[in-house]
Amino acid sequence: MPSAAVVRYWEWLPRACVVCGGEAVIHHIMHVNFQRISKDDMLVAPLCPSHHNMGDDSVHLLGGERQFLAHHGIDLVQWAVLNRHNYELRS
């Protein structure tokens, strides 16, 4: 179960998928600099189920953020880092 601080951050994030604008769920970033990382509840990006893990072009079915970037042109790692930084600046 996420902490209260994590829940506040998730509530602050846009509720729209960063790809299509559809209703989003939380995607935890899996890889940084080509290496798998531990789950970090503050390193996340909103994705609709289709772009998260249900569609053929989802981050999970494509194999990770690098493949997602190559396919969609959207850098989920950069998005997650910048939004976390912006959130921490406002706090």
Side-chain angles (χ1 to χ4, degrees), residues 4-79:
V6 168
V7 170
R8 281 192 302 276
Y9 175 59
W10 289 359
E11 289 173 349
W12 176 82
L13 290 172
R15 302 239 193 280
C17 175
V18 299
V19 179
C20 68
E23 188 174 337
V25 297
I26 294 294
H27 165 68
H28 290 85
I29 300 301
M30 304 177 292
H31 300 92
V32 174
N33 294 330
F34 308 107
Q35 296 197 7
R36 188 152 181 85
I37 62 169
S38 308
K39 182 178 169 182
D40 181 341
D41 286 334
M42 297 291 281
L43 196 58
V44 298
L47 294 171
C48 68
S50 179
H51 288 113
H52 182 232
N53 60 3
M54 303 297 280
D56 291 337
D57 62 349
S58 69
V59 65
H60 286 279
L61 292 180
L62 287 171
E65 289 82 14
R66 183 170 45 119
Q67 295 89 338
F68 192 86
L69 170 60
H71 186 80
H72 290 286
I74 296 171
D75 189 338
L76 295 176
V77 175
Q78 180 184 36
W79 193 98

